[in-house]
Amino acid sequence: MRSTSINMIFTAKKIAESGQAALFSVALIPVILLAVLFVFNTGQQTAVKLKTQNAADAAAFSAMQMEARELNFIAYTNRAMVANQVAIGQTISLVSWGRYINSLGVNIRNVGNFAQIIPGVGSIIATITNAIAQSTNVLNQSIETASNVLLPALDLADSALSGSQEAYHLANGVFDPGGGNNHPGGAMTAVAEQVVKLNDANGQLNTIIMATNLSSYFKNRGNLLQRWGGDKEQAQNRMASMINASRDGFTSTRNNLPTPLLPVKSGNLYVTGWEFRRAGGSEIAKTSEGKFVWSGMDTLSLHVWARKGIILGGKKWIEIPLGYGASQTGNGSNFSYPGRYLEKSSTPQTVFPSTERTVNLPAYQDSRSQNAQGSNIAAFKNPGEQDSTGASMRSVGGDATRFSAGGISRYWDFNRNSPQLKDANGDPADVMPSYVVVVEHDRQNVRDASNALGIKQSAQDKTNISLAQDNPGKHIRSMAKAQAFFRRPASLWQRADAYDERANLFSPFWEARLVDLNARERSLYATLLGLQ
């Protein structure tokens, strides 16, 4: 009996405890529901925030990729212009050498004709020398014909390279060629907008930030990147120095070309003697009119000497020209083939601005000094310009063509007089302008408990379980900043001088990178967005 009472008591207690837990659970259900909804809403907002941040990062990076591609394009075309100019120099060199060979053949034929008086072998010598003269004439005429086609084509290529830089620059920054000119930021902005839509269909670029950023970006970009690098004379001097440094062996010096006569010399006979001197080369140099001209000269002369006195006295030399030829672009002027020419160049990497030096170098590998009479004949026979067939291009494009620009076509480069560049010790990579975007996503397009689950609430309900739709921060916003930068991979392309290469527009090693916004920029853009 007692045991039964005790069991009833315990059973009653268990029933009472179970009922209390149920009531407590029922009371927690609204709290749990609110917590779940809060987590759902927060998760949806976080997901959209990540999406907009990814869109902002991708948009800024893609826009700067467009800028990096333009800088690489300028680098490629600048190098192509150097190669194009070297090709012009090679053509002028071939024409000069062909004329030299032709004149040598003619003089050999004259000697052969004179040798006809020798009984027996004279006619054979004359036949051989006439064949040599005919061969050299055919060779020379072939070179002349080819040059009349090649030089205008090279002029056209130079103009096309220069013009393509201009077109790319305008497309990237001024208008969008595929968007009906609706994008004031050009292809860069058009790409940024497309990338935003690809990453966040409901996202869009903030127009206030875009307008502010574009104004600042293109102003800084325009101060740093300019036609001729801001100074045409300095730019042409730099380009001429690079062109001359890029000449191949045949163009720069032809003194060492095989010439069977060179080893034939008398040695020291004390009273008299003779030797053959060969000189030739080509270079691009500035005339007194300030135009850059390609010119080449080739000479071969026999130098005979005799003592001024029978026993004592110095040597008196007599030059007998055997072969002579010359050619030049002229650039619209009669160019007097000089004995020396000035070349302005600077030592890179060490200091900025680079120390510019002017060097007085012997022209045509000192042909004027080695074979003075032969050089005079070569200059007399070839006073005019070689590529006159390209003269019609002189007024085309205003500085875009080699003719109209004064021998070196316009190209884009960094403004070495830029104060920012001087502050960076000459490395544009340290002062490249940054590109900032703000991507915003309307909160009304964010899924929450109200529009995703259909949970409604009355206006009197103080517990708001949906995202705020009509407060000052009605957009979810993300900001990103990107910049073009230069880095030459030393592990793959090590410079011979072991220097770390400064950013430049002759090496195509430009890329894009994301960078952090500083406190001043965050404050500025927060103010523009009305968040302060």
Side-chain angles (χ1 to χ4, degrees):
M1 187 75 179
R2 183 178 299 174
S3 135
T4 302
S5 301
I6 295 173
N7 288 337
M8 292 179 62
I9 293 171
F10 284 132
T11 301
K13 288 184 177 181
K14 285 183 179 180
I15 294 172
E17 290 176 356
S18 176
Q20 291 176 3
L23 292 173
F24 184 71
S25 299
V26 170
L28 285 178
I29 287 175
V31 177
I32 294 173
L33 179 61
L34 288 175
V36 170
L37 293 176
F38 177 78
V39 171
F40 176 80
N41 289 346
T42 304
Q44 292 297 309
Q45 182 167 327
T46 301
V48 172
K49 177 65 176 178
L50 289 174
K51 184 185 293 187
T52 59
Q53 187 62 59
N54 289 337
D57 290 343
F61 185 84
S62 298
M64 284 299 91
Q65 276 286 73
M66 293 293 292
E67 178 72 1
R69 288 172 185 171
E70 179 191 345
L71 298 176
N72 286 330
F73 179 80
I74 292 174
Y76 280 121
T77 49
N78 281 345
R79 294 175 78 93
M81 287 185 192
V82 172
N84 192 68
Q85 284 279 1
V86 170
I88 293 172
Q90 291 170 336
T91 305
I92 291 299
S93 300
L94 281 171
V95 171
S96 174
W97 180 79
R99 291 172 177 176
Y100 152 76
I101 289 294
N102 186 46
S103 66
L104 183 60
V106 170
N107 288 329
I108 290 174
R109 182 187 62 190
N110 293 338
V111 172
N113 291 336
F114 180 76
Q116 289 188 54
I117 62 175
I118 302 174
V121 298
S123 59
I124 298 175
I125 294 175
T127 301
I128 295 173
T129 56
N130 279 327
I132 292 174
Q134 290 176 3
S135 299
T136 57
N137 182 60
V138 170
L139 177 62
N140 180 53
Q141 290 301 319
S142 299
I143 293 174
E144 295 273 1
T145 302
S147 70
N148 288 335
V149 175
L150 185 58
L151 285 170
L154 291 171
D155 285 338
L156 183 62
D158 225 34
S159 176
L161 290 169
S162 178
S164 65
Q165 288 188 352
E166 194 78 15
Y168 202 142
H169 187 77
L170 291 174
N172 221 20
V174 178
F175 64 90
D176 171 22
N181 297 349
N182 294 324
H183 302 282
M188 288 169 51
T189 301
V191 166
E193 290 176 343
Q194 293 171 9
V195 169
V196 168
K197 292 300 181 184
L198 290 173
N199 286 272
D200 183 358
N202 293 314
Q204 60 183 1
L205 293 174
N206 182 278
T207 55
I208 297 176
I209 300 301
M210 180 57 63
T212 304
N213 177 62
L214 285 177
S215 175
S216 174
Y217 179 84
F218 286 116
K219 178 182 178 180
N220 294 332
R221 177 181 185 241
N223 290 335
L224 193 60
L225 184 65
Q226 297 183 359
R227 300 180 186 92
W228 296 117
D231 190 311
K232 180 177 179 179
E233 182 178 1
Q234 290 183 10
Q236 289 192 321
N237 286 335
R238 286 194 303 272
M239 180 66 89
S241 179
M242 284 185 284
I243 292 168
N244 280 327
S246 302
R247 291 173 295 176
D248 61 288
F250 177 80
T251 303
S252 61
T253 173
R254 296 184 286 280
N255 291 19
N256 300 324
L257 290 180
T259 305
L261 295 174
L262 288 181
V264 182
K265 55 184 177 181
S266 64
N268 188 6
L269 300 179
Y270 189 75
V271 176
T272 187
W274 69 87
E275 64 183 35
F276 293 90
R277 296 178 186 173
R278 169 83 173 92
S282 305
E283 56 271 334
I284 186 171
K286 186 185 291 186
T287 68
S288 58
E289 299 173 349
K291 298 177 180 179
F292 283 86
V293 171
W294 268 106
S295 59
M297 182 177 286
D298 292 85
T299 56
L300 174 67
S301 295
L302 171 63
H303 292 263
V304 180
W305 61 272
R307 293 287 179 186
K308 294 179 180 179
I310 297 176
I311 299 178
L312 301 175
K315 295 178 181 179
K316 181 179 180 181
W317 289 90
I318 299 175
E319 179 188 348
I320 304 174
L322 301 177
Y324 29 79
S327 180
Q328 48 104 5
T329 56
N331 199 33
S333 62
N334 289 327
F335 181 60
S336 57
Y337 296 87
R340 304 184 76 79
Y341 70 98
L342 296 177
E343 182 176 287
K344 291 186 177 181
S345 60
S346 58
T347 304
Q349 307 299 333
T350 53
V351 294
F352 184 85
S354 301
T355 303
E356 190 176 80
R357 60 189 181 92
T358 302
V359 187
N360 192 12
L361 300 173
Y364 327 116
Q365 294 300 307
D366 216 11
S367 178
R368 281 289 196 181
S369 175
Q370 294 292 320
N371 300 318
Q373 292 186 35
S375 299
N376 288 336
I377 296 173
F380 175 78
K381 286 181 173 291
N382 305 282
E385 58 182 285
Q386 168 64 17
D387 55 353
S388 57
T389 50
S392 60
M393 296 179 60
R394 293 177 192 171
S395 60
V396 177
D399 273 355
T401 66
R402 188 171 59 84
F403 273 114
S404 59
I408 293 178
S409 298
R410 179 184 65 212
Y411 67 98
W412 285 76
D413 201 359
F414 288 115
N415 176 17
R416 285 167 169 75
N417 296 320
S418 166
Q420 300 103 310
L421 197 56
K422 292 180 180 179
D423 293 340
N425 197 29
D427 196 341
D430 294 337
V431 291
M432 291 300 294
S434 54
Y435 188 87
V436 178
V437 299
V438 171
V439 175
E440 51 190 20
H441 188 116
D442 196 326
R443 285 183 181 270
Q444 293 180 357
N445 296 321
V446 180
R447 296 178 65 204
D448 62 8
S450 175
N451 55 35
L453 304 179
I455 298 176
K456 303 297 182 181
Q457 61 186 71
S458 63
Q460 292 77 23
D461 191 351
K462 302 300 183 181
T463 305
N464 192 352
I465 61 174
S466 63
L467 297 177
Q469 306 290 344
D470 55 355
N471 54 30
K474 62 181 179 179
H475 292 98
I476 295 176
R477 294 188 175 99
S478 294
M479 186 178 298
K481 174 182 175 183
Q483 184 184 50
F485 80 104
F486 179 94
R487 185 67 60 202
R488 177 174 178 146
S491 59
L492 297 177
W493 294 283
Q494 177 66 49
R495 286 175 58 100
D497 56 14
Y499 280 113
D500 290 331
E501 187 171 325
R502 284 196 181 102
N504 64 87
L505 290 180
F506 286 86
S507 294
F509 297 113
W510 289 92
E511 287 291 344
R513 63 180 175 183
L514 293 172
V515 293
D516 293 330
L517 285 91
N518 56 43
R520 184 188 64 81
E521 290 171 329
R522 290 182 180 278
S523 176
L524 170 63
Y525 293 125
T527 301
L528 292 173
L529 293 172
L531 302 179
Q532 287 185 347

